[in-house]
Amino acid sequence: MKYRSKISYGILIPICVLFGYLITNMVLDKIWFGLAIMVFTFGFIVHLYATTYYIITENKLLIKSGFLINQSIAIESIKKISEKNELTSAPALSIDRLEIVYNTFDTVLLSPNDKYGFIDELKNQNPTIEIKLKNKL
């Protein structure tokens, strides 16, 4: 099952406004090298937004974010899932995140759009996962 990353528009809108402002000024001031860098950087961000998702297979959790992150986690190695609201670097496009603890000390932050469906599917494959949520529907 494929889960797209939830998007925080509180993050996306300021990024678009900032890049729109910078790109417009560089066009007006004819700063072509700076414009090329801004367009490339904005394209990279759009690519990350378009390609950040999570796939749950029969025994693996696959995490994909652009060409930077292509991670695989064995579902039986997942120990705990808890909610986090933080803006640290992660393959997540929202601050409404899930922290997944796996192996002994490894963690990853994700932001699936269907958080509860995502957790239920993982829990179906590994009933020993400890779930710590603030609010459960």
Side-chain angles (χ1 to χ4, degrees), residues 16-96:
C16 290
V17 168
L18 176 65
F19 273 92
Y21 173 78
L22 292 172
I23 288 171
T24 301
N25 281 337
M26 289 190 182
V27 167
L28 294 174
D29 294 338
K30 298 179 181 168
I31 305 172
W32 305 122
F33 183 71
L35 176 64
I37 291 171
M38 286 293 117
V39 168
F40 176 77
T41 305
F42 188 69
F44 175 71
I45 292 169
V46 168
H47 175 70
L48 285 178
Y49 270 78
T51 59
T52 299
Y53 55 87
Y54 323 108
I55 297 175
I56 298 174
T57 65
E58 196 170 305
N59 56 3
K60 297 271 187 204
L61 169 60
L62 307 172
I63 303 165
K64 179 80 171 128
S65 185
F67 53 84
L68 298 176
I69 297 175
N70 191 9
Q71 185 176 0
S72 175
I73 298 171
I75 293 175
E76 72 265 3
S77 73
I78 298 174
K79 308 289 186 232
K80 181 171 83 169
I81 300 174
S82 57
E83 289 181 307
K84 296 283 182 180
N85 291 319
E86 54 186 64
L87 197 55
T88 56
S89 179
L93 305 175
S94 171
I95 59 171
D96 180 19

Side-chain angles (χ1 to χ4, degrees), residues 3-19:
Y3 295 87
R4 302 219 46 86
S5 180
K6 182 176 182 179
I7 296 174
S8 283
Y9 292 100
I11 297 170
L12 180 62
I13 291 171
I15 289 172
C16 290
V17 168
L18 176 65
F19 273 92

